[in-house]
Amino acid sequence: VEIRPLETRSHAAEITIDGQAATVTLEAVFFNPNNQQLEGTYFFPLPANVAVSQFSMFINGKEQKGELLDATKARQIYEDIVRRMKDPGLLEFVGLQMIKVRVFPIMPNSEVKVRLSYQHLVEKDSGMYSFRYPLASAMPDDKKPIGQVTLKVNLSAKIALKNIYSPTHTIDKTMKGDFNAVVGFEGKSVLPERDFVLYWAEAEEEIGASLLTHRPAGEQ
């Protein structure tokens, strides 16, 4: 009997970023189109150089034990899947750590909801902040579009926010004063070919200057 791959009905992520502290919560809904029960494994790659402080995993509302694998252990799994599934696209995740959790049971002709939360620090370089969400990892096995994709970022800082933009997706942006913004991306029938990347800066970093004063002897 041919086993059809799971369908991804929706993928939603809510991200809260306060300064450099990011909390990510994602919910994905999958559908088993087969007439038999399935067992699966959920893999979620994490951005390179991200130190995850904690994570939690729920399957249909029940907390599940998962593993946080470093890049070396994750590489073995990625390469093994490529050998078995003949999907070279997975090789782009080599070098990334991953969260791995067993998903069981996936009942026949039924949905299963996966909920994952994790925390980490966002990168900052020369006054510019950057955040990456591994959306490309949500690509279904059969390369069919996801029914609904929603990404929402609640951004806040102690210094006025400036230059909020995404080079990867067309975003909606709402400023809530100088120090808070809500950034979003939403679409139906989405093929997640790229990760979601967001950049922003703070006003002080952009226009700040250092002043060195000097008074020659005998002058005011």
Side-chain angles (χ1 to χ4, degrees):
V1 179
E2 182 181 359
I3 302 296
R4 289 183 288 169
L6 294 177
E7 300 172 9
T8 306
R9 292 198 160 173
S10 66
H11 186 103
E14 180 142 354
I15 300 109
T16 299
I17 301 175
D18 187 354
Q20 281 187 266
T23 300
V24 181
T25 300
L26 73 96
E27 282 194 355
V29 176
F30 303 97
F31 177 73
N32 176 8
N34 300 283
N35 294 320
Q36 62 188 83
Q37 179 176 292
L38 298 180
E39 175 179 353
T41 303
Y42 186 78
F43 299 108
F44 187 83
L46 295 160
N49 304 319
V50 162
V52 174
S53 56
Q54 60 180 322
F55 79 92
S56 59
M57 192 83 182
F58 291 82
I59 309 295
N60 285 339
K62 295 182 180 180
E63 188 167 11
Q64 302 289 325
K65 290 184 178 180
E67 298 178 80
L68 179 59
L69 304 179
D70 62 27
T72 300
K73 292 182 179 178
R75 180 189 184 98
Q76 297 171 354
I77 293 175
Y78 289 132
E79 291 181 343
D80 181 58
I81 295 174
V82 170
R83 281 193 295 269
R84 291 186 292 109
M85 305 293 290
K86 310 298 183 187
D87 186 356
L90 284 174
L91 290 177
E92 69 181 275
F93 302 120
V94 168
L96 305 185
Q97 58 187 332
M98 71 153 67
I99 291 174
K100 172 189 174 185
V101 66
R102 177 175 177 255
V103 183
F104 177 83
I106 307 173
M107 302 305 291
N109 301 298
S110 299
E111 291 183 346
V112 59
K113 180 183 289 186
V114 173
R115 185 175 187 270
L116 170 65
S117 296
Y118 62 96
Q119 297 175 338
H120 67 88
L121 294 178
V122 300
E123 295 185 9
K124 182 181 180 182
D125 184 20
S126 301
M128 181 68 72
Y129 295 83
S130 64
F131 171 81
R132 177 180 293 269
Y133 179 76
L135 182 60
S137 68
M139 178 71 76
D141 290 340
D142 57 6
K143 303 296 188 293
K144 289 185 178 179
I146 298 174
Q148 176 82 24
V149 173
T150 305
L151 299 178
K152 181 182 179 182
V153 182
N154 297 289
L155 190 60
S156 60
K158 292 181 173 59
I159 301 173
L161 295 165
K162 296 289 184 180
N163 293 350
I164 303 171
Y165 72 97
S166 171
T168 57
H169 292 77
T170 301
I171 57 174
D172 292 322
K173 180 177 66 176
T174 302
M175 297 299 300
K176 297 182 177 294
D178 291 336
F179 308 99
N180 297 275
V182 177
V183 178
F185 165 79
E186 187 171 356
K188 295 183 181 297
S189 192
V190 175
L191 203 60
E193 297 178 300
R194 294 177 294 178
D195 286 349
F196 173 78
V197 178
L198 185 69
Y199 289 100
W200 67 97
E202 294 174 343
E204 184 178 83
E205 297 289 349
E206 286 186 352
I207 63 175
S210 296
L211 180 64
L212 181 63
T213 59
H214 171 67
R215 180 175 61 84
E219 295 186 10
Q220 293 185 357

